[in-house]
């Protein structure tokens, strides 16, 4: 039997409110015991001074596999995940070809068995993400799909979205909505507001996202079928979701670390690494997003890890949208939310592990005895500066480059095996 003893960490498990100094004994691939113990025959990982928590669950990742592997691939993306403490991730279907076919889902799942994170494929909701015909939800689920989305873009019409919500509910998997009214996007490159006007750069109005959010909520209310709103970035979206939840509508929401930490002021650099969809918004939107996390309106933090090559990101106006995020997400959230005193550590860890696991219905986000031994170990106090050249994925398009963050992942354990250890 393989045994690993993690010794002396502060163990925080949001699934049961556990927060105390303890050892964790792992046998084979599962958590066998928590408490003070000696296990003479076990390998020992000294974790004194570190925090041990359930491995992070990231609901929104672009692995770019198949077909865009110059940006990222299944294995490089999972190395980036491990370096960020992410042990379960949901990968989006806007690949080449799109993940709209059961054979593609099965192939991805088979290749993922050797990766350093658990990969949950999100299948396309419509064939080729074209917004014309629904995919076969039951067959995709049988092949290993864990959710449905046309992410990268919205499900094109309200009629199709309504049918997608019903089909997802029938098979019991979540529908992840990229909320955007494409006729309002109009080629904008950043948030439309004072900064875009000053710069003379075409902007995207908040209404592009909010019309989409309103559509998804209306369809969710009309059908009673759950919907999950991805990457919420505006005050209006947060307020609509909050009001709908209060009325009993089964809508959930997530936001991303860049909407918590950054604003459209970053775009003054005209650096395409700060361009994403939806775009970085104003400080008022950022404040609303944080309030949405604090009061539970937004239950999950997901990265929208979106790798693009340096060549693709070279020219501000021509670059594709998206930023990488898995290796920095915990540190950014610790720095912005916990070290500022705005949020407690247990609640942050819940939003990054237990809550997204529950939302997506996967066995993760807990350290209870018998659970898979997926664990992140981090030093809450260690400071480090983000150097794109030292990250573990293939691409370098991080909007946190050069920032000094407080809190660093020291080791990541997946199914009882150490899949990442920080240098030094
Ligand atoms: Zn999206």
């Amino acid at each position: 039997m393989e045994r690993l003893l993690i010794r002396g960490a502060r163990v925080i498990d949001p699934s049961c409110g556990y927060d105390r100094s303890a050892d964790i004994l792992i046998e084979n691939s599962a958590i066998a015991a928590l408490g003070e113990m000696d296990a003479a025959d076990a390998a020992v990982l000294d974790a004194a001074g570190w925090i041990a928590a359930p491995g992070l669950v990231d609901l929104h990742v672009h692995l770019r596999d198949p077909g865009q592997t110059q940006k990222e691939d299944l294995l490089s993306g999972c190395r980036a995940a491990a370096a960020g403490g992410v042990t379960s991730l949901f990968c989006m279907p806007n690949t080449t070809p799109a993940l709209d076919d059961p054979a593609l889902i099965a192939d991805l799942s088979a290749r993922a068995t050797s990766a350093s994170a658990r990969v949950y494929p999100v299948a396309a909701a419509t064939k080729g993400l074209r917004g014309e015909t629904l995919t076969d939800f039951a067959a995709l689920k049988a092949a290993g799909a864990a959710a449905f989305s046309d992410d990268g873009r919205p499900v094109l019409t309200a009629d199709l979205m309504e049918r997608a919500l019903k089909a997802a509910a029938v098979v019991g998997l979540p529908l992840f909505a990229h909320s955007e009214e494409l006729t309002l996007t109009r080629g904008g490159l950043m948030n439309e507001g004072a900064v875009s006007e000053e710069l003379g750069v075409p902007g995207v109005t908040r209404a592009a996202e909010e019309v989409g959010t309103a559509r998804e909520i209306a369809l969710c209310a009309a059908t009673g079928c759950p919907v999950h709103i991805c990457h919420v970035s505006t005050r209006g979206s947060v307020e609509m979701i909050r009001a709908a939840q209060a009325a009993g509508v089964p809508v959930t929401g997530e936001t991303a670390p860049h909407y918590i930490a950054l604003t459209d002021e970053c775009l003054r650099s005209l650096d395409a690494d700060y361009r994403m969809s939806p775009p970085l918004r104003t400080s008022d939107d950022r404040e609303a997003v944080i309030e949405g996390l604090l009061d539970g309106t937004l239950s999950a933090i997901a990265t929208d890890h979106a790798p693009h090559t340096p060549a693709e990101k070279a020219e501000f106006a021509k670059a594709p949208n998206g930023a990488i995020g898995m290796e920095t997400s915990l540190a950014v959230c610790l720095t912005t939310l916990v070290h500022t005193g705005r949020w407690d550590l247990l609640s942050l860890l819940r939003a990054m592990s237990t809550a997204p696991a529950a939302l997506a219905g996967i066995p993760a986000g807990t350290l209870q005895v018998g659970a898979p031994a997926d664990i992140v170990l981090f030093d809450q106090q260690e400071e480090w500066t983000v150097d794109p050249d030292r990250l573990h994925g293939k691409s370098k398009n991080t909007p946190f480059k050069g920032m000094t963050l407080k809190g660093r992942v020291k080791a990541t354990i997946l199914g009882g095996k150490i899949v990442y250890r920080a240098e030094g």
Side-chain angles (χ1 to χ4, degrees), residues 60 151-152 178 231 277 304:
H60 203 120
D151 188 65
H178 170 115
H231 41 58
S277 174
D304 198 2

Side-chain angles (χ1 to χ4, degrees), residues 57 293 298-302 343 346-356:
V57 176
L293 281 171
L298 305 176
S299 50
I301 297 171
W343 215 14
L346 188 124
S347 297
L348 171 66
L349 294 170
R350 179 185 293 122
M352 299 187 80
S353 63
T354 312

Side-chain angles (χ1 to χ4, degrees), residues 231-232 254-261 289 293 300-304 333 400:
H231 41 58
V232 170
E254 79 192 21
T255 191
H258 41 266
Y259 304 120
I260 296 164
V289 164
L293 281 171
I301 297 171
T303 63
D304 198 2
C333 292
F400 302 108

Side-chain angles (χ1 to χ4, degrees), residues 239-389:
E239 289 177 352
M240 280 188 271
I241 294 169
R242 182 182 289 124
Q245 288 171 344
V249 176
V251 57
T252 53
E254 79 192 21
T255 191
H258 41 266
Y259 304 120
I260 296 164
L262 306 176
T263 68
D264 58 358
E265 291 290 336
C266 293
L267 277 297
R268 290 187 187 279
S269 63
L270 297 181
D271 179 337
D273 288 349
Y274 300 104
R275 278 195 42 215
M276 54 279 277
S277 174
L280 296 175
R281 305 288 188 183
T282 65
S283 55
D284 179 65
D285 294 296
R286 178 176 63 176
E287 188 56 30
V289 164
I290 292 173
E291 285 163 12
L293 281 171
L294 301 192
D295 75 5
T297 302
L298 305 176
S299 50
I301 297 171
T303 63
D304 198 2
H305 180 85
H308 294 293
T309 65
E312 290 169 313
K313 279 292 194 181
E315 234 183 296
F316 178 74
K318 289 187 180 158
N321 285 314
I324 57 172
M326 282 193 287
E327 294 191 59
T328 48
S329 58
L330 179 59
V332 167
C333 292
L334 286 168
T335 304
T336 313
L337 299 174
V338 176
H339 290 308
T340 55
R342 295 208 63 179
W343 215 14
D344 64 285
L345 186 54
L346 188 124
S347 297
L348 171 66
L349 294 170
R350 179 185 293 122
M352 299 187 80
S353 63
T354 312
L359 197 154
I362 63 166
T366 175
L367 296 177
Q368 295 199 40
V369 170
D374 296 354
I375 301 169
V376 56
L377 291 153
F378 62 98
D379 181 337
Q380 194 187 190
Q381 303 299 335
E382 185 175 330
E383 295 193 0
W384 60 292
T385 300
V386 180
D387 176 354
D389 290 326

